[in-house]
Amino acid sequence: MKREKFDSFWLEKKEYHTNSCGLFFEVQKVLYAENSKYQRIEVIENEFFGRILFLDGLVQTTERDEFYYHEMMVHPALIAHPHPQKVLVIGGGDGGVVREILRYSVEKVDFVEIDEEVINVCRKYFPWLKKLLGDERVNLFIDDGFNFVNKASEKYDVVLVDSSEPVGPSVSLHEQEFYLAVKSKLTTQGIVVAQMGSPFFHQEELVRKFTFLKDIFSKVYFYTSPVPTYPAGEWGYVFLSDKIDPRQIKRKPPKGLKYYNAETHQRAFLLPQLLAKLRQDLG
Ligand code: SAM
């Protein structure tokens, strides 16, 4: 489509995917820009994507395309588990993942976010967060995810790791020790889903994680979905379990979703050759 606005009067916010390429957004309004104890938090308004949350300069969520990521983080696991009741969310301070879980009749959602400022900012600028924090099934903990898992006396049916990229406060959430701790807090049919970054830009990181994950869980499935504002427009996830194969699902998804359905579920697990080969080479 022809770009009609090609002058440079607009303030632009850029996300660098590497030192030499990335994505830019025109900034119609800066709504918030401060440093918290852990990271730089920014919320801008963009004409096309609406409100966009950046942490340390990286897009976390946008009003217009958040549903791709949040639906695909949650529904594959919640549909695959036969009776998900206790769910743990680590990270995900914008609340999109918790919002999707609450579509099911779960008993409780423990929601562990390290940065209280992210919660305060998102409560103001992403209204779904304020609403779900009022739901009596949701327990919010301001804590480090690894620390919380180590201390937890509870076991969970599903654990969703909605971490930021492996820099800053989330580094520990990308290590073997964390996944060993998470596994020890799973019920027998338990499932873990974690975001795995861009299969194109973050391949080394994907290989590093897969190498230790396959020693911890007997079933390790990569899957992907579009997310227009994440690097390369396609995002990777991993589904981990000792019992459940996500390709054999029988339950129907909740109504009112925008991306996830039985077909997109199956499609997500069909790996392009680049990932299928990686998966095969890693054993
Ligand atoms: N899906 C998004 C992405 O990849 O762009 C990430 C969304 S979410 C906003 C990530 C959240 O994880 C942030 O709010 C961040 O503060 C939180 N976080 C980072 N490290 C954490 C930790 N160690 N424990 C708990 N939460 C953490």
Side-chain angles (χ1 to χ4, degrees), residues 39 59-60 69 91-92 94 113-114 144-145 162-163 169-170 195 230:
Q39 53 209 339
V59 175
Q60 304 294 307
Y69 175 79
D94 56 73
E113 163 62 52
I114 201 168
D144 169 70
D162 185 10
S163 62
S170 86
Q195 68 101 345
Y230 285 179

Side-chain angles (χ1 to χ4, degrees), residues 37 40 45 71 78 115 123 141 165 226-228 233 242 278:
K37 194 168 140 195
R40 175 124 187 110
E45 182 84 41
E71 291 187 11
L78 274 276
D115 194 342
R123 203 198 294 254
F141 299 88
E165 286 71 3
V227 182
D242 279 341
L278 251 180

Side-chain angles (χ1 to χ4, degrees), residues 29-36 40-44 52-53 117 120-121 124-125:
K29 208 171 183 181
V30 176
L31 297 169
Y32 185 90
E34 298 282 342
N35 292 330
S36 75
R40 175 124 187 110
I41 307 175
E42 293 162 309
V43 182
I44 65 155
I52 308 178
L53 169 71
E117 241 354 82
N120 293 337
V121 169
K124 182 161 178 198
Y125 295 110

